[in-house]
Amino acid sequence: MRHLRPRTLAEALRLLDELDESATPFTLIAGATDVVSQAKITGRPTGTLVSLTLIEELRGIHRGAGSDSTLRIGALTSVADLASDPSLPPGLAEAARMVASPQIRNRASVGGNLLADRRCVFFNQSDQSREAHGSCFKAGGDACHLVPGARPPGEGPQLTCRARLISDLAPCLIALDAKILVAWSRGTRTLPLAELYRPDGIDRHSLSRREIILSIEIARADAKALHYEKLRIRNTLDFPSLGVALAREKNLGSTQLTYRLALTGLDGAAPPFSGTATHEQASDLVLRLASEATRIVKPLKQDFFSPSYRRRMIAVLAG
């Protein structure tokens, strides 16, 4: 296995172009907490490993000067650094402290958490365990054991894989209306974080093989606050069985507040739910947003908690 460590962003982007043009399988790694654990459990080949850890320009938390309150979080910033920064929008550091364990937070990067691979009880198994039921679509098989009769990739319009999103930071940053800055050898582009995710567990995000997330940007960060609640079996280590992030933003020149609710721990990536209300009307609005989310999402039996319980817990955690 090759392990490449470019020292600059330009070098990394050139390297991705070369690997892609030669059709060489490769995997980008930062803290590698997700990639290594997946490789150990599933035995999936990683191809050439391209480490981004030497690219210092991808690290750090930066704030705009003067009237510019845009917060920029480098994709290589550790989750531990995010969890220990008191100047972030209220609630964001607390949410970061819910990710995994202190040891993992010290290694894991913010960008890596956003791109963590989807999980499913039928996928996150060894090859030996899969012999009992056969491989699923995500593991290269010909069936989805959660949705009987589902068609293989490319043979129908329905989703081919219902593996669930397990990033804690994704709903938090989506609720804060964050955008991501993405680079490739020909330039950069910015897109809302919510548009990064696709509902399919295999074709799970909109980045090309040649692109790297540079930073996460939160505009008007000083006007925003966040609250995140997480359903899990243990208080540490566990991925979210359900995560509910609720953000509040003060609207300029108005008594109205904007509330955005975003979810994780579910198959696919549900869109954010948003609305405006005065402070006195906030409870009713949050209840409406949670009710809308409960009506739309359809969890499957892919977790310790039952699908119906996880749906009912959306309103509980949002409140």
Side-chain angles (χ1 to χ4, degrees), residues 17-291:
D17 281 352
E18 293 170 3
L19 292 171
D20 193 36
E21 288 170 1
S22 63
T24 301
F26 68 89
T27 301
L28 287 175
I29 60 172
T33 56
D34 183 56
V35 171
V36 171
S37 64
Q38 285 283 77
K40 287 181 178 179
I41 295 172
T42 67
R44 298 177 71 191
T46 59
T48 296
L49 294 177
V50 181
S51 173
L52 304 178
T53 54
L54 298 181
I55 308 177
E56 289 300 319
E57 58 198 289
L58 300 184
R59 298 184 189 276
I61 300 173
H62 310 282
R63 296 157 190 82
S67 59
D68 179 13
S69 63
T70 297
L71 177 70
R72 295 176 177 84
I73 304 168
L76 209 60
T77 302
S78 72
V79 177
D81 285 346
L82 196 69
S84 63
D85 194 319
S87 64
L88 299 177
L92 182 54
E94 289 84 347
R97 286 196 285 272
M98 295 186 190
V99 176
S101 66
Q103 296 90 338
I104 292 175
R105 290 195 294 271
N106 284 332
R107 289 289 304 171
S109 67
V110 174
N113 186 268
L114 295 179
L115 293 174
D117 200 3
R118 307 281 174 88
R119 267 22 180 214
C120 177
V121 293
F122 291 103
F123 172 70
N124 292 88
Q125 298 182 8
S126 66
D127 289 338
Q128 184 178 11
S129 297
R130 291 198 190 106
E131 291 178 359
H133 51 68
S135 295
C136 64
F137 292 146
K138 191 172 174 66
D142 58 1
C144 174
H145 302 295
L146 289 171
V147 185
R151 297 180 182 179
E155 293 188 10
Q158 71 269 44
L159 302 183
T160 60
C161 177
R162 302 291 290 272
R164 61 192 185 91
L165 183 69
I166 49 85
S167 169
D168 284 298
L169 296 182
C172 299
L173 294 169
I174 287 173
L176 290 168
D177 200 20
K179 294 179 171 58
I180 57 172
L181 178 64
V182 177
W184 64 310
S185 59
R186 298 186 182 180
T188 61
R189 65 185 178 110
T190 301
L191 71 155
L193 178 59
E195 294 181 8
L196 171 68
Y197 298 105
R198 291 173 174 163
D200 194 290
I202 299 173
D203 187 17
R204 55 196 175 87
H205 59 70
S206 59
L207 297 182
S208 76
R209 279 166 43 91
R210 301 186 181 204
E211 290 183 312
I212 295 174
I213 297 178
L214 301 184
S215 62
I216 299 91
E217 301 184 352
I218 304 173
R220 301 190 66 241
D222 293 347
K224 297 176 179 179
L226 174 78
H227 183 70
Y228 179 61
E229 292 286 352
K230 177 177 178 179
L231 175 65
R232 49 188 166 171
I233 300 173
R234 301 170 293 182
N235 286 332
T236 188
L237 282 177
D238 284 350
F239 294 118
S241 295
L242 171 69
V244 179
L246 181 68
R248 181 189 71 237
E249 179 178 2
K250 299 176 183 177
N251 296 341
L252 290 173
S254 171
T255 60
Q256 296 281 323
L257 302 169
T258 294
Y259 288 82
R260 288 169 59 90
L261 183 147
L263 306 173
T264 190
L266 302 167
D267 57 292
F273 306 87
S274 64
T276 59
T278 63
H279 182 73
E280 293 74 16
Q281 300 167 331
S283 296
D284 290 338
L285 174 60
V286 171
L287 182 60
R288 290 202 307 272
L289 296 180
S291 297

